[in-house]
Amino acid sequence: MLATMTTVAACALTSGVYRTAVTLKNGTQEIFPDSVVQRFTYTHVTQAGKTRHLLNVIKNGEVDMTIDTDSIVELDYGEMSSYEHFAGEWWLVMSPNGEPNEQGIMVTEAVSAKVHAVLPAPGSPNYGSLIYCHIDSMPHRMGLRYSADFVLRYAHDDALQRGTITMVLDDQQPVTSQQYAGDASTYAYFNDETTWYMGVSPQHEGGDTGNRYIYFVGQDIDTQRLQGMEITAAWSDADQLDLEHEYSFPRQYQIYWITALDIPYSYVEHDEVGMIDIFSSPRLMRHPWTKPLKEE
């Protein structure tokens, strides 16, 4: 099926969903569906004698985002395409590595990381095929705050009315410019006494570089090597109309949130220092995960 897919953004939903698209000078495009945004307002502020004019996005009666009008290239209003559907606010829901309870049994629950997704500017090479995603703060067992940026690949088959989104787990570029500063106790648990902190391998050429770069990678099922890979979630046009739909990535793969000594990361060169966390059952949702109510 993947071979027949095309990366076009012209396929519009038949639900009559409309949106405002704001193209910015930084080369990205924000998408604001009518179903989410109540209205836009304009305000201005004066600082040091200079006046800035602002476009305010109002959601749930509050200003959700403020955009300086000097940063805007174009505003466009029209029917939302299936590609544009993936811009905006999402939640990456997943289950982190377990925590030991009082009995030493490893217990885990789902966590939700808020994702803001934007598109490349229309007319740019990646428009219609990539979605840029940003997380302000990854869920962390010790409360440390680290951002993360990753890419989704988009593909859609107009005839079949279905498509895919593919999360790129990249071993070539760290997910953030920050370097990890946590000590051994802040890594994921290996068991109820130790963590997944391995330290610098004596086999790493050059020893400790002093760097602690942060990556999202996957694991090759056959070789058990951590490496860059792509995990794909399939969807249909009908799924896009369901706000409760979960875009689930394959359950056999986990997201390994690791630290490493070099750019790019290489498993065979013993770059890895430790695993900050290991996330299973990753999926994209329109709202954070809530624990289902137990039936009586």
Side-chain angles (χ1 to χ4, degrees):
M1 182 178 74
L2 285 175
T4 65
M5 288 188 177
T6 56
T7 54
V8 295
C11 177
L13 299 177
T14 58
S15 64
V17 177
Y18 282 77
R19 89 297 181 262
T20 300
V22 182
T23 303
L24 302 173
K25 291 180 180 178
N26 65 7
T28 65
Q29 185 182 57
E30 299 274 359
I31 301 295
F32 302 104
D34 286 1
S35 57
V36 174
V37 177
Q38 292 173 300
R39 66 184 187 278
F40 295 91
T41 63
Y42 286 93
T43 57
H44 66 271
V45 295
T46 301
Q47 296 176 330
K50 183 178 180 180
T51 300
R52 297 171 54 225
H53 297 273
L54 308 173
L55 175 67
N56 304 298
V57 183
I58 310 298
K59 298 181 183 179
N60 301 317
E62 298 180 351
V63 176
D64 180 76
M65 183 184 295
T66 297
I67 303 173
D68 194 316
T69 57
D70 285 344
S71 68
I72 297 174
V73 175
E74 182 181 45
L75 281 84
D76 175 72
Y77 185 76
E79 193 169 10
M80 190 166 68
S81 71
S82 57
Y83 175 55
E84 293 171 334
H85 169 84
F86 289 104
E89 305 301 327
W90 291 87
W91 296 84
L92 181 61
V93 177
M94 49 202 170
S95 296
N97 194 70
E99 294 276 328
N101 62 14
E102 293 179 355
Q103 291 75 40
I105 300 172
M106 305 298 278
V107 179
T108 189
E109 292 188 0
V111 297
S112 305
K114 191 173 184 180
V115 177
H116 182 70
V118 300
L119 307 178
S124 62
N126 292 325
Y127 184 78
S129 61
L130 297 185
I131 301 147
Y132 303 132
C133 300
H134 174 78
I135 297 173
D136 272 340
S137 182
M138 284 290 296
H140 189 279
R141 55 182 286 269
M142 300 291 285
L144 302 181
R145 291 179 59 87
Y146 291 94
S147 61
D149 292 282
F150 62 92
V151 171
L152 294 175
R153 297 191 191 280
Y154 166 89
H156 184 264
D157 188 306
D158 291 348
L160 297 177
Q161 296 187 344
R162 61 186 181 187
T164 59
I165 52 169
T166 299
M167 184 176 181
V168 179
L169 305 178
D170 192 353
D171 57 7
Q172 301 299 299
Q173 290 293 330
V175 294
T176 175
S177 59
Q178 296 173 278
Q179 292 201 27
Y180 195 67
D183 61 25
S185 69
T186 66
Y187 287 78
Y189 274 107
F190 176 75
N191 55 42
D192 61 353
E193 296 179 349
T194 60
T195 70
W196 274 111
Y197 173 78
M198 282 79 78
V200 177
S201 171
Q203 295 176 283
H204 180 263
E205 185 176 350
D208 190 345
T209 65
N211 296 311
R212 296 296 183 270
Y213 298 115
I214 305 175
Y215 294 87
F216 287 163
V217 293
Q219 186 179 53
D220 184 285
I221 295 175
D222 296 322
T223 66
Q224 301 301 302
R225 290 180 177 179
L226 297 183
Q227 61 187 46
M229 63 169 43
E230 299 187 358
I231 53 177
T232 298
W235 49 273
S236 69
D237 286 8
D239 293 332
Q240 291 196 330
L241 305 179
D242 178 8
L243 295 180
E244 300 300 313
H245 181 74
E246 299 181 10
Y247 296 83
S248 298
F249 299 100
R251 294 294 177 94
Q252 66 266 39
Y253 293 107
Q254 297 173 312
I255 298 173
Y256 288 77
W257 187 22
I258 68 169
T259 59
L261 302 172
D262 300 312
I263 301 175
Y265 161 73
S266 173
Y267 178 85
V268 297
E269 294 177 9
H270 308 284
D271 285 342
E272 184 184 339
V273 177
M275 302 178 189
I276 304 170
D277 218 326
I278 307 168
F279 297 109
S280 60
S281 303
R283 56 228 189 250
L284 276 178
M285 300 170 58
R286 279 297 189 186
H287 53 76
W289 185 85
T290 55
K291 189 173 183 178
L293 296 176
K294 294 183 179 180
E295 295 184 0
E296 297 293 338

